[in-house]
Amino acid sequence: MAVMRPSTLVRVEEYLSTDYSPDCDYVEGEVQERNAGEYEHGKWQAELIIFLAGLRRKLGFHIVPEQRLQVKPRRFRVPDICVILGPEPQEQVLTNPPFLCIEILSPEDRMVRI
């Protein structure tokens, strides 16, 4: 059985001004680590970006890996790949939903958390 550690709540402003490596999700005051850094995960992320890059000019979209998205006032997610239609976004943290978000699941990921 996994041991649950109490989490320290963090303000949105603190989360946005902190540099996490790798970047973390933020859910209702809790900074949540993402599964990243494993070979299979990186391989699939690279393969999908290469595939999408071949379609980018023809279909007119932007590809951004690991882009922060604000999905609610106190919820930020960092999907593995975002596909954005239209003009290049001007904001650093996206608040409008991308056309497509891709999250590559690792064996440790659980649907309840995703």
Side-chain angles (χ1 to χ4, degrees):
M1 180 186 343
V3 176
M4 298 296 289
R5 291 179 294 167
S7 61
T8 302
L9 296 182
V10 174
R11 294 184 344 264
V12 169
E13 299 78 20
E14 182 179 348
Y15 166 74
L16 291 173
S17 65
T18 302
D19 186 22
Y20 299 97
S21 183
D23 206 351
C24 295
D25 290 336
Y26 176 87
V27 178
E28 303 301 324
E30 183 180 338
V31 176
Q32 297 179 346
E33 290 184 14
R34 299 167 46 246
N35 288 323
E38 294 179 356
Y39 176 78
E40 285 293 318
H41 186 277
K43 179 181 85 170
W44 281 107
Q45 187 174 11
E47 290 291 331
L48 287 168
I49 289 171
I50 290 166
F51 172 76
L52 291 168
L55 302 171
R56 184 174 58 95
R57 282 199 173 91
K58 180 179 178 183
L59 300 177
F61 56 79
H62 305 278
I63 307 162
V64 187
E66 301 177 13
Q67 169 65 52
R68 277 187 187 177
L69 307 173
Q70 183 174 12
V71 296
K72 290 185 176 182
R74 293 178 36 84
R75 186 169 296 214
F76 293 77
R77 295 293 188 176
V78 185
D80 292 311
I81 303 168
C82 289
V83 174
I84 302 164
L85 299 178
E88 192 167 17
Q90 299 302 305
E91 55 191 358
Q92 292 301 308
V93 176
L94 300 182
T95 56
N96 291 316
F99 172 71
L100 174 67
C101 289
I102 299 172
E103 183 63 32
I104 301 163
L105 299 180
S106 298
E108 300 80 25
D109 287 323
R110 298 291 172 255
M111 288 306 294
V112 97
R113 186 167 169 264
I114 305 291

